[in-house]
Amino acid sequence: MKMQVNTQGHTTLSLLLSREAVAARVKELAIQISRDYTGKDLLLVGVLKGAFVFLADLMRALEIPVQVEFVRLASYGKGATSAGHVRVILDLEASIVGRHVLIVEDILDTGLTLGFLLERLRARQPASLKLCVLLSKRIRRAYDITPDYKGFDVPDGFVVGYGIDYADRYRSLPAIYTLSFPSSDA
Ligand code: IMP
Ligand code: MG
């Protein structure tokens, strides 16, 4: 399915993952996580802004009690590729010492962002630290980061929807789309 949107030239969105496919996979991940953390106090750490829709659906599908915190990170620079530097815009409010922490992120791309976050949180001595990503672009990996829970492997290409943005747009789309840039602008 192709959908033309009237913004930034003739950008084209092609459906990659339907809302039903995403919902079904989120449910499966929630069952797995609920099993793995039974009897433990789980703290979900969402990475703003991209992960908030995924996190909201995931936490409501969990069958165990959880707590939630957020961090906000930015990779230096703007646009469709992340540059080589990460900075913290919003840090955790709560201590994670001795807690079971599961980072929830939208996309694992080169691994720069999550590598940075994992290292930063590991230094704060959680009881355990794991990673849950909705999408993984394995072909793009430059850092040795492997998710403990993964929704989907996706091919290289820029994706939007279900919380994921391009220049802060398209987050509200209920499904996940691949965005094609007009060749004249590329
Ligand atoms: P990494 O640091 O290269 O792994 O990039 C991870 C971050 O880049 C993600 O948290 C996203 O915010 C952003 N990102 C990577 N690929 C995409 C994409 O296809 N669409 C939107 N954001 C993306
Ligand atoms: Mg992000």
Side-chain angles (χ1 to χ4, degrees):
M1 182 193 120
K2 292 224 166 180
M3 174 174 133
Q4 294 286 336
V5 294
N6 185 22
T7 181
Q8 296 163 5
H10 296 283
T11 307
T12 304
L13 301 183
S14 309
L15 185 67
L16 181 65
L17 297 163
S18 69
R19 63 194 299 175
E20 293 79 15
V22 173
R25 187 68 188 120
V26 169
K27 179 85 192 151
E28 287 174 358
L29 286 174
I31 289 168
Q32 199 186 336
I33 292 167
S34 299
R35 273 197 209 117
D36 293 352
Y37 287 91
T38 300
K40 290 178 179 158
D41 280 330
L42 176 59
L43 176 65
L44 300 178
V45 172
V47 184
L48 293 172
K49 300 176 191 174
F52 82 100
V53 174
F54 174 42
L55 180 110
D57 283 346
L58 181 72
M59 72 179 291
R60 284 177 294 174
L62 291 173
E63 291 156 3
I64 53 170
V66 292
Q67 292 175 299
V68 182
E69 290 285 328
F70 291 97
V71 293
R72 186 159 176 212
L73 305 171
S75 48
Y76 199 78
K78 251 185 144 191
T81 55
S82 45
H85 180 75
V86 182
R87 67 197 167 93
V88 179
I89 296 180
L90 176 75
D91 206 343
L92 292 173
E93 277 178 30
S95 166
I96 59 167
V97 175
R99 302 176 76 179
H100 295 284
V101 175
L102 180 61
I103 297 171
V104 179
E105 172 62 313
D106 54 358
I107 304 174
L108 175 56
D109 188 24
T110 65
L112 172 75
T113 307
L114 286 169
F116 171 89
L117 184 61
L118 281 163
E119 197 176 304
R120 195 176 161 88
L121 297 192
R122 200 174 286 123
R124 297 181 190 177
Q125 293 158 11
S128 68
L129 181 62
K130 287 189 176 183
L131 178 60
C132 176
V133 300
L134 180 62
L135 307 179
S136 171
K137 295 182 192 170
R138 204 182 309 175
I139 197 162
R140 297 255 311 154
R141 207 81 79 246
Y143 300 83
D144 185 22
I145 308 291
T146 307
D148 299 284
Y149 305 95
K150 175 184 64 186
F152 301 92
D153 281 303
V154 293
D156 192 10
F158 203 81
V159 302
V160 296
Y162 198 68
I164 300 163
D165 75 305
Y166 171 64
D168 244 347
R169 305 186 74 121
Y170 310 115
R171 292 191 201 277
S172 60
L173 296 175
I176 296 175
Y177 297 83
T178 301
L179 194 155
S180 317
F181 299 91
S183 49
S184 55
D185 280 15

